[in-house]
Amino acid sequence: MSDTAVQHRSPDRLSERAHGPGRGPGPFTHTAVMAARALRISSRNIDALITSVALPIMMMLIFVYFFGGAIDTGTDYDSYVMYVVPGVLLLSAGFGAATTATAVSEDMKGGIIDRFRSLDVGGTPVLAGHVAASTVRNLCSTALVFGVALLIGFRPAASWSGWLVVGAVLVAYIVALSWISAAIGLLARTPEAASGFTFFMSFLPYPSSAFVPTENMPDWLHGFADHQPITPAIESLRGLLLGQDVGSTPWIALAWAAGMLALAIGASGTLFRIRTR
């Protein structure tokens, strides 16, 4: 079944729920329905799903096997794979979240938002549904990337509490990046433009400590790499997964994620009102 068919079938299902007996569905029900719809649509876009998983895995294999022997991390890790995996996990989150921008832009361009609004579905459930679907997709792709990392030699030594913090940091960044992508999808006028804009978000792990220590970068880039939002997340994941002391770095990473999330939600609400008035 085509994506268009799925998009036009979903309002009918939502209408059935909305006109049932008793009180109508609330925003959480609308969000769940929108998330299920987004997952159905993305399950039919196999190319995008494969790309969002394959690209981070390919990057990890290239850096480990092509460049790993030539990169000096200045650490006592047994192999480069122990250094690079946390950065690849954040890279995977960026690639996966980028598809949200395209999906939101397609909704805005296709006119289905008008049908949702006629069913009294606000902008927040529609966007939150896309973000929830993005989070589910990203967690699945992250698990696959992590599985490949284990196969090529990554050996985590995190404690139970460390695993919980790793999960919290990853989920926080996935949600924040997905909301940023939703805002980009509202800002862009075409799905192609939305896909292009998200390149800048996917680029952030490169000028960070994901692949090389920031100390090895030129002075003009060193300062940016140390103080951009991705670096504390990577340092938190790396330290926690390897059982090292990370100090307050996870709190800094979560503060960055909270700030990006608040900014993205506010921008998304404003942009949605502008696009639909």
Side-chain angles (χ1 to χ4, degrees):
M1 184 179 295
S2 66
D3 292 351
T4 303
V6 174
Q7 289 178 341
H8 286 81
R9 184 180 62 180
S10 300
D12 297 333
R13 292 185 174 182
L14 184 60
S15 180
E16 291 173 4
R17 300 188 183 191
H19 296 289
R23 294 179 58 187
F28 290 107
T29 301
H30 285 166
T31 299
V33 174
M34 292 295 102
R37 166 186 172 268
L39 287 172
R40 286 196 300 272
I41 294 174
S42 60
S43 69
R44 290 163 172 79
N45 193 355
I46 303 299
D47 293 345
L49 289 175
I50 293 176
T51 300
S52 63
V53 175
L55 278 178
I57 291 176
M58 290 177 62
M59 291 295 298
M60 179 170 60
L61 296 177
I62 288 172
F63 272 90
V64 170
Y65 291 113
F66 291 4
F67 306 136
I71 296 177
D72 181 14
T73 62
T75 64
D76 56 356
Y77 300 138
D78 295 335
S79 62
Y80 183 65
V81 68
M82 301 295 288
Y83 182 89
V84 78
V85 167
V88 174
L89 294 178
L90 263 294
L91 187 69
S92 175
F95 278 125
T99 60
T100 305
T102 304
V104 170
S105 182
E106 286 176 346
D107 276 356
M108 301 303 297
K109 183 181 179 181
I112 196 171
I113 296 299
D114 293 333
R115 298 191 65 187
F116 289 150
R117 295 180 69 192
S118 70
L119 296 170
D120 198 27
V121 180
T124 299
V126 174
L127 298 177
H130 279 294
V131 171
S134 173
T135 302
V136 172
R137 292 193 305 265
N138 269 283
L139 290 176
C140 293
S141 64
T142 297
L144 290 174
V145 170
F146 196 80
V148 173
L150 293 175
L151 291 176
I152 64 176
F154 183 70
R155 296 295 178 265
S159 62
W160 284 108
S161 59
W163 280 111
L164 290 176
V165 179
V166 166
V169 172
L170 276 174
V171 171
Y173 271 77
I174 288 171
V175 173
L177 293 175
S178 297
W179 270 107
I180 292 174
S181 291
I184 292 174
L186 292 168
L187 183 64
R189 293 296 175 177
T190 64
E192 293 77 14
S195 179
F197 289 157
T198 54
F199 166 79
F200 296 100
M201 182 177 64
S202 302
F203 178 74
L204 273 179
Y206 295 97
S208 72
S209 61
F211 302 108
V212 296
T214 57
E215 293 81 5
N216 295 350
M217 298 179 181
D219 291 339
W220 61 270
L221 185 57
H222 184 188
F224 172 78
D226 276 341
H227 298 94
Q228 62 126 316
I230 299 299
T231 295
I234 292 172
E235 292 299 319
S236 298
L237 296 180
R238 183 176 291 125
L240 291 166
L241 287 173
L242 300 182
Q244 300 171 348
D245 181 26
V246 292
S248 61
T249 306
W251 292 110
I252 297 173
L254 290 173
W256 268 112
M260 292 189 297
L261 179 61
L263 182 62
I265 291 177
S268 297
T270 301
L271 289 169
F272 188 87
R273 288 192 295 272
I274 292 173
R275 290 289 303 274
T276 57
R277 64 184 178 185

